[in-house]
Amino acid sequence: TFDRDLTLPQPTAPALAATSFFEYLVVVSLGKKRGQGTYEPQITYQFPKLANMGRSQREEEEKSLKAILLFCFPEGVNWAPLTEYPSETFSFVLTEVDGSRRNGYCRRLLPRGKGARAPEAYCIISRVACFGLFSKIFDEVEKRRQISMAMIYPFMQSLREAPFPAPGNTVTIKSFIPESGTEIISLTRPLDSWLEHVDFRTLFRCLTNEEVLKVFASTVLERRIIFMAEELSTLSQVLHAVAALLYPFTWQHTFISIVPSVLIDVVMAPTPYLLGVQRNKLDDVIDQSDMLIVDLTEGAENTFITCVSIASSEELNKVVSEAFLSFFVKTVGHFSSHVKGSSGRQPGVFQKKSFCKASEHKASQHFVKRFVQTQMFDIFIQEVERRPTQEGFFHKKIAEYQESKKKEKAKRGEGACDVNVGVFRQNNLICHMLLKTTGID
């Protein structure tokens, strides 16, 4: 059953504080099937162990673990022992029955040893969405795995006991390694917490600027979109980056960054979705109509260039995210003026008709009229009706934009306040292309 993502039961482990790093770690190995020469994934270790379960709880947890197996090795192919295998890190999202989400972080690697051997996967299940931080955690896990499996668990125990840091803060973990002594590991959260699960570099490595804008236009109008690539890491990073472009809105439909082979039929769903599918499944999706298929494969025609030169991923994230955010500021940032009747504890009422007519440029009204019909805008405006006086990053950017309009108006004189999208100067070019791609400009 799919509802935004794979639906799973609630975990049965003892409740953790919301600020804990993770719920549990599982090691997934490839073992031979009985009487056959083929391999299948199986959980060989779980930390911490989930004890004191009733029968029904145990059955539900087993369903959860089976689902995790699908995402750790989603290819659905016959594995064989290997002598070389580059490690890769990817993520997926598990949606609970109540709609809440858990994040799965996975690193696959070749275990220590000689000769041909099967790869294994380390998977961390967490309520926290912070891909960069967990990638660093996996670096430490992999380093210890190359020494001994026993070295991993003291580190994970220290991590489990540590509080998850606030945005911009750092937490330190002490971990002992033979011949190296006690190491101090620093884990720092980005200051902009809404970007900590995102790395835009992979998106812009796989797609040109114009192609990114076309994907954004299809996403914001809630189309069915499939991304295809060979690498699991590419799929998960690109899908999370595309979803982040919607901020301050949230994708409200099916979102599966990596579709397991046995669940490929989800592509036939008639509702909007963002799906990541490995390219060897192209024949299973190519016959579907009314969808956008985005090929992220390296060397694919007109889809692989590097055209954004930014010194660091943090700087790139800031430039790209604010460019797309300014698009929403420009087109729908006047929403608060059209929530009427809010006072005290009474919720307000959104005036959709007047909101659409009040768009600054008549050319943008067509887009706004379509966008207000999407589920993501509906959920967003419901929250505004309940709490009209919200304060956040989006509201701050709206205030900055409105202030710039006042200053521009004062400079040009009364009646001449046509502030263009380039008010966010560092993002002028991208915003202009965005408006053009969506048919507004």
Side-chain angles (χ1 to χ4, degrees), residues 332-346:
V332 300
H334 57 293
F335 64 87
S336 61
S337 300
H338 299 274
V339 178
K340 307 297 181 183
S342 59
S343 60
R345 297 183 179 179
Q346 296 299 319

Side-chain angles (χ1 to χ4, degrees), residues 2 4-9 23-28 41 43 61 63-75 88-96 100-108 120-132 134-135 138 197 231-241 243 254-261 263 274-277:
F2 286 90
R4 298 195 184 102
D5 205 333
L6 191 64
T7 301
L8 297 172
E23 293 182 354
Y24 55 85
L25 161 76
V26 295
V27 179
V28 181
I43 293 177
E61 188 60 28
K63 292 179 182 178
S64 297
L65 296 176
K66 287 180 180 179
I68 292 171
L69 289 176
L70 293 179
F71 285 106
C72 288
F73 288 93
E75 293 88 346
E88 63 174 336
T89 306
F90 54 92
S91 65
F92 53 88
V93 179
L94 305 176
T95 303
E96 316 295 353
S100 62
R101 296 186 178 187
R102 287 191 289 171
N103 300 281
Y105 302 94
C106 186
R107 176 163 292 186
R108 295 203 313 205
E120 62 186 12
Y122 289 78
C123 183
I124 296 175
I125 302 300
S126 174
R127 295 284 176 181
V128 178
C130 192
F131 184 83
F134 279 92
S135 293
F138 276 128
H197 199 51
E231 302 84 6
L232 302 179
S233 56
T234 298
L235 288 175
S236 67
Q237 290 173 20
V238 167
L239 265 82
H240 284 292
T254 299
F255 178 94
I256 312 177
S257 58
I258 298 171
V259 177
S261 178
L263 303 177
L274 295 177
L275 303 179
V277 177

Side-chain angles (χ1 to χ4, degrees), residues 12 17 36 57 75 90 103 158 178 182-183 187 256 270 288 296 298 310 314 319 353 365 372 406:
T12 53
Q36 303 180 33
Q57 288 180 314
E75 293 88 346
F90 54 92
N103 300 281
S158 297
T182 300
E183 289 190 352
L187 300 172
I256 312 177
Q288 300 299 312
L296 304 172
E298 182 175 351
I310 302 295
E314 183 176 348
V319 170
K353 189 174 182 179
Q365 291 184 6
V372 296
K406 293 179 182 179

Side-chain angles (χ1 to χ4, degrees), residues 224-228 259 263-268 273 275-294:
R224 299 193 303 161
I225 309 175
I226 293 177
F227 297 87
M228 309 202 75
V259 177
L263 303 177
I264 194 63
D265 287 348
V266 70
V267 302
M268 296 186 291
Y273 55 58
L275 303 179
V277 177
Q278 287 188 286
R279 205 176 187 285
N280 60 6
K281 296 297 178 182
L282 178 61
D283 292 341
D284 294 317
V285 303
I286 200 67
D287 293 335
Q288 300 299 312
S289 59
D290 190 29
M291 68 167 61
L292 175 65
I293 299 177
V294 184

Side-chain angles (χ1 to χ4, degrees), residues 26-327:
V26 295
V27 179
V28 181
S29 302
L30 290 172
K32 279 189 177 181
K33 295 182 180 179
R34 287 186 177 180
Q36 303 180 33
T38 57
Y39 288 77
E40 64 179 355
Q42 53 189 248
I43 293 177
T44 54
Y45 188 88
Q46 182 172 332
F47 171 79
K49 296 183 181 296
L50 304 180
N52 303 321
M53 295 184 191
R55 179 178 177 181
S56 60
Q57 288 180 314
R58 185 167 56 253
E59 290 176 351
E60 291 302 310
E61 188 60 28
E62 287 174 355
K63 292 179 182 178
S64 297
L65 296 176
K66 287 180 180 179
I68 292 171
L69 289 176
L70 293 179
F71 285 106
C72 288
F73 288 93
E75 293 88 346
V77 299
N78 291 328
W79 287 89
L82 304 168
T83 55
E84 293 184 1
Y85 182 82
S87 65
E88 63 174 336
T89 306
F90 54 92
S91 65
F92 53 88
V93 179
L94 305 176
T95 303
E96 316 295 353
V97 175
D98 63 358
S100 62
R101 296 186 178 187
R102 287 191 289 171
N103 300 281
Y105 302 94
C106 186
R107 176 163 292 186
R108 295 203 313 205
L109 50 84
L110 202 60
R112 183 184 181 187
K114 296 181 179 180
R117 53 206 184 278
E120 62 186 12
Y122 289 78
C123 183
I124 296 175
I125 302 300
S126 174
R127 295 284 176 181
V128 178
C130 192
F131 184 83
L133 206 59
F134 279 92
S135 293
K136 185 173 182 180
I137 291 171
F138 276 128
D139 291 341
E140 298 297 331
V141 169
E142 185 170 359
K143 181 169 66 175
R144 285 157 177 76
R145 177 65 181 91
Q146 298 307 318
I147 300 173
S148 168
M149 176 77 79
M151 296 302 305
I152 296 174
Y153 309 116
F155 168 70
M156 295 303 295
Q157 179 63 39
S158 297
L159 184 67
R160 183 176 168 83
E161 294 172 353
F164 192 71
N169 290 357
T170 300
V171 65
T172 57
I173 307 293
K174 293 183 179 181
S175 179
F176 177 79
I177 296 182
E179 300 182 2
S180 298
T182 300
E183 289 190 352
I184 305 297
I185 302 162
S186 297
L187 300 172
T188 303
R189 283 185 70 185
L191 187 59
D192 293 328
S193 59
W194 63 283
L195 288 175
E196 61 189 350
H197 199 51
V198 181
D199 187 340
F200 286 110
R201 289 177 297 179
T202 303
L203 177 64
F204 280 88
R205 174 175 59 81
C206 295
L207 303 175
T208 67
N209 282 358
E210 291 189 7
E211 287 163 346
V212 169
L213 296 173
K214 289 178 182 178
V215 168
F216 173 75
S218 297
T219 307
V220 81
L221 294 177
E222 297 185 328
R223 307 298 191 197
R224 299 193 303 161
I225 309 175
I226 293 177
F227 297 87
M228 309 202 75
E230 300 288 351
E231 302 84 6
L232 302 179
S233 56
T234 298
L235 288 175
S236 67
Q237 290 173 20
V238 167
L239 265 82
H240 284 292
V242 169
L245 296 179
L246 296 173
Y247 179 85
F249 303 97
T250 303
W251 182 258
Q252 297 294 326
H253 303 281
T254 299
F255 178 94
I256 312 177
S257 58
I258 298 171
V259 177
S261 178
V262 297
L263 303 177
I264 194 63
D265 287 348
V266 70
V267 302
M268 296 186 291
T271 53
Y273 55 58
L274 295 177
L275 303 179
V277 177
Q278 287 188 286
R279 205 176 187 285
N280 60 6
K281 296 297 178 182
L282 178 61
D283 292 341
D284 294 317
V285 303
I286 200 67
D287 293 335
Q288 300 299 312
S289 59
D290 190 29
M291 68 167 61
L292 175 65
I293 299 177
V294 184
D295 190 354
L296 304 172
T297 307
E298 182 175 351
E301 186 177 358
N302 300 323
T303 59
F304 177 75
I305 62 171
T306 302
C307 53
V308 181
S309 299
I310 302 295
S312 68
S313 61
E314 183 176 348
E315 291 172 340
L316 176 58
N317 284 354
K318 184 174 181 62
V319 170
V320 173
S321 62
E322 290 198 4
F324 287 95
L325 179 62
S326 64
F327 168 74

